[in-house]
């Protein structure tokens, strides 16, 4: 199995209200991929970090193997969410993939 973890910082020009809307959209969009992408075992989005955090949103997902992760990256349902709900609003993206 492979764990895929992403941390995002949202763009600074977003108001607090916009940030909350974006976080909700990211969570809704990504978590809705459960059951739609082969090899995706778990997907969770956390957007309620403590004030000590320096990231706004975290994706924590689990895949059957590295091939399933590669398939997820280009799957049309994932690309739709990434292009519509994530990329336009984020300024920093950090990723860690590791064997689980």
């Amino acid at each position: 199995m492979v764990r895929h973890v992403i941390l995002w910082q949202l763009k600074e020009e977003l108001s607090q209200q916009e940030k909350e809307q974006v976080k909700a959209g990211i969570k809704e969009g990504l978590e809705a991929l459960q059951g739609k992408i082969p090899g995706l075992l778990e997907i969770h989005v956390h957007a309620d970090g403590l004030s000590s955090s320096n990231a706004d949103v975290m994706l924590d997902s689990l895949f059957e193997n590295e091939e399933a992760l590669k398939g997820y990256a280009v799957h049309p349902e994932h690309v739709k969410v990434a292009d519509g709900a994530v990329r336009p609003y984020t300024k920093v993206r950090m990723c860690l993939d590791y064997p689980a």
Side-chain angles (χ1 to χ4, degrees), residues 4 7 15 22 35 39 42 56 71 79 82-83 88-89:
H4 173 64
L7 293 171
S15 70
V22 167
E42 297 177 11
D56 296 299
V79 172
D83 286 347
Y89 308 104

Side-chain angles (χ1 to χ4, degrees), residues 25-57:
I26 292 172
K27 181 174 179 65
E28 180 182 330
L30 289 175
E31 289 184 351
L33 297 176
Q34 183 75 50
K36 295 181 180 178
I37 299 180
L40 173 60
L41 303 175
E42 297 177 11
I43 188 162
H44 306 283
V45 174
H46 304 278
D48 54 354
L50 300 177
S51 61
S52 57
S53 302
N54 61 11
D56 296 299
V57 182

